Amino acid sequence: MNRKLRMGMVGGGRGAFIGAVHRMAANLDGQIELIAGNFSSDPEKSKLSGGDFYLDPSRVYSSYEEMAKREGAKPPGERIDFVSIVASNNLHFPVAKTFLENGIHVVCEKPMTLSLEEAKELKAIVEKSGLVFALTHNYTGYPMVKEARAMVKAGKLGRLLKVVAEYPQGYAVTNLKEQENTKIGSWRADPKKAGVSNCMADIGIHAENLARYISGLHLEEVAADLNTFIPGRVLDDDGSVLLRYEGGVRGVLYASQISTGDENALHVRIYGTEASVEWHQEHPNELIVKFADQPRQVWRRGNSYNGPEAQKNTRIPFGHPEGFIEGFANIYAAVTEAVRDSLKGEFKPGTYDFPSVDDGVEGLAFIEATVKSSAANAAWTKLH
């Protein structure tokens, strides 16, 4: 197939941060072009946003329903190949369902749906459709995260014992009135749009997913203490969670949006009987490797000693910073491979390195279990 993939987008219009990130990442390898979208629930804003991106006005839609129906009715050589969903949480499920039912592959922002019930229903829809579905847990796209995962899979850490994941931010340590025009003060703090959680559904789920991606472990139970520190908020802005993984591995997860002075300090540590690995999102080109009987080592991205997984996802030579946009781009590169295979009739579900609908289900199970546990005074609560 000698052409670029055709991308559509729902959400991500004027003033939206994450939509711009997706567009930059999708464009990075020159394999994808944005040709259509419903960029806002406001038809006029959607139209103006389409103009910003120099799109054909006939491919800028007033609603996602219209977009899915009209794009799905076009012949394969003209329709969009996939849609990226970057709207608020409450729209993820209906938008994904609508496009899948119209035969269009889907890339979706996290959390996958508003509830675990919706997540399970969407999984059934994806499996029935036979289409590509990817979830943009972007931190799984970093080369040194993939290096850490490869080390765990190869047994270099020995038997796993402990998982520690942290995601502190400080941007929401203010009152609601001051934040009313920002994400924390608008839809992220509204249960009808955000779901049962704010902090855990926004960043706690990233920490849980990244720990699971690197360790390969699945959670069995959680004991959670979620808090709402700022008066006027309905949903959590902080939380601490004890974790019980399969095989007896234990863990701790802390996510917070009121950790004053922190920016985007996602950290993951995986401890084994032979060694441990430690990765910090704000210093993504380094992986710290620690041994019981050797000096600690710092492995850096882009070097010849990196394994094939890290090398495949490294884009520029060592010594040059590489990070946030490239992490998203690595997910889009894997999606491109899957969609091209699908268009050739060679799609092999489960063989591509991007978060899937199964990751989405596990993420919603984690969110709902933490909320249920916290409401029961941090009682141990099973995920399924």
Side-chain angles (χ1 to χ4, degrees):
M1 186 180 68
N2 190 26
R3 65 169 176 84
K4 293 184 178 183
L5 293 185
R6 302 184 183 98
M7 171 184 172
M9 178 170 279
V10 174
R14 286 186 172 183
F17 162 69
I18 203 65
V21 170
H22 279 255
R23 290 188 292 272
M24 287 186 283
N27 189 54
L28 199 58
D29 291 321
Q31 295 291 309
I32 296 168
E33 60 179 337
L34 177 69
I35 67 164
N38 164 233
F39 301 103
S40 172
S41 57
D42 178 345
E44 182 61 22
K45 185 175 179 180
S46 180
K47 179 181 177 180
L48 292 171
S49 298
D52 293 341
F53 311 140
Y54 305 102
L55 301 186
D56 179 344
S58 70
R59 306 295 283 271
V60 181
Y61 299 97
S62 298
S63 70
Y64 71 82
E65 295 95 338
E66 177 196 13
M67 179 179 169
K69 182 177 180 180
R70 287 178 53 185
E71 289 294 329
K74 294 180 184 294
E78 298 178 14
R79 69 195 300 185
I80 59 172
D81 295 304
F82 72 94
V83 64
S84 287
I85 303 169
V86 293
S88 55
N89 296 358
N90 60 308
L91 291 173
H92 293 179
F93 172 75
V95 176
K97 178 176 184 290
T98 301
F99 278 89
L100 290 165
E101 290 177 345
N102 281 274
I104 295 170
H105 304 289
V106 171
V107 174
C108 185
E109 258 296 333
K110 60 80 202 157
M112 186 171 74
T113 58
L114 203 62
S115 68
L116 179 58
E117 180 181 3
E118 285 184 348
K120 291 178 178 178
E121 183 178 348
L122 186 57
K123 178 181 177 179
I125 293 169
V126 170
E127 291 176 345
K128 181 179 179 181
S129 73
L131 295 168
V132 176
F133 181 93
L135 194 65
T136 49
H137 275 293
N138 58 296
Y139 299 110
T140 65
Y142 285 83
M144 299 316 286
V145 165
K146 295 184 184 296
E147 185 78 14
R149 183 184 190 223
M151 292 180 69
V152 172
K153 290 178 70 175
K156 293 182 179 180
L157 272 61
R159 179 169 61 88
L160 298 188
L161 303 172
K162 184 92 171 179
V163 173
V164 179
E166 307 171 31
Y167 204 152
Q169 297 175 334
Y171 79 95
V173 62
T174 183
N175 65 53
L176 188 65
K177 184 176 181 180
E178 291 174 0
Q179 290 285 332
E180 61 186 358
N181 294 319
T182 68
K183 296 299 182 185
I184 188 68
S186 55
W187 71 262
R188 287 203 184 281
D190 181 355
K192 293 180 181 178
K193 295 182 178 181
V196 296
S197 169
N198 166 43
C199 183
M200 280 298 154
D202 183 21
I203 59 175
I205 192 175
H206 268 312
E208 184 278 327
N209 176 267
L210 188 60
R212 173 160 39 90
Y213 181 79
I214 295 174
S215 70
L217 298 170
H218 298 272
L219 278 172
E220 293 183 341
E221 293 182 285
V222 297
D225 177 28
L226 307 188
N227 298 284
T228 305
F229 281 103
I230 306 303
R233 289 185 184 151
V234 178
L235 299 175
D236 53 294
D237 51 24
D238 176 86
S240 302
V241 190
L242 295 177
L243 312 171
R244 287 178 177 170
Y245 288 96
E246 58 189 345
V249 178
R250 296 294 185 260
V252 179
L253 186 149
Y254 144 58
S256 174
Q257 293 164 330
I258 50 82
S259 294
T260 305
D262 275 320
E263 296 176 352
N264 204 60
L266 173 59
H267 309 155
V268 176
R269 300 174 178 88
I270 312 293
Y271 295 94
T273 54
E274 302 296 325
S276 67
V277 290
E278 179 176 333
W279 183 78
H280 298 255
Q281 192 275 150
E282 292 181 346
H283 303 279
N285 294 298
E286 297 180 349
L287 177 67
I288 300 170
V289 184
K290 297 175 283 187
F291 304 90
D293 56 355
Q294 302 177 40
R296 67 174 56 194
Q297 302 174 5
V298 179
W299 294 24
R300 291 183 56 83
R301 178 207 55 80
N303 286 276
S304 59
Y305 55 75
N306 295 156
E309 294 88 351
Q311 290 189 22
K312 179 181 179 181
N313 289 276
T314 295
R315 295 167 175 277
I316 53 180
F318 56 78
H320 300 279
E322 182 175 331
F324 190 68
I325 300 298
E326 291 87 351
F328 274 95
N330 285 335
I331 291 177
Y332 272 101
V335 168
T336 297
E337 181 184 355
V339 172
R340 288 194 185 280
D341 283 351
S342 178
L343 293 172
K344 294 185 293 184
E346 300 173 0
F347 178 48
K348 302 176 287 295
T351 64
Y352 306 93
D353 191 7
F354 54 73
S356 70
V357 70
D358 290 323
D359 293 287
V361 172
E362 292 208 41
L364 266 297
F366 167 74
I367 292 168
E368 294 197 359
T370 58
V371 172
K372 183 178 179 181
S373 170
S374 185
N377 198 29
W380 282 105
T381 304
K382 293 186 181 300
L383 264 68
H384 300 287

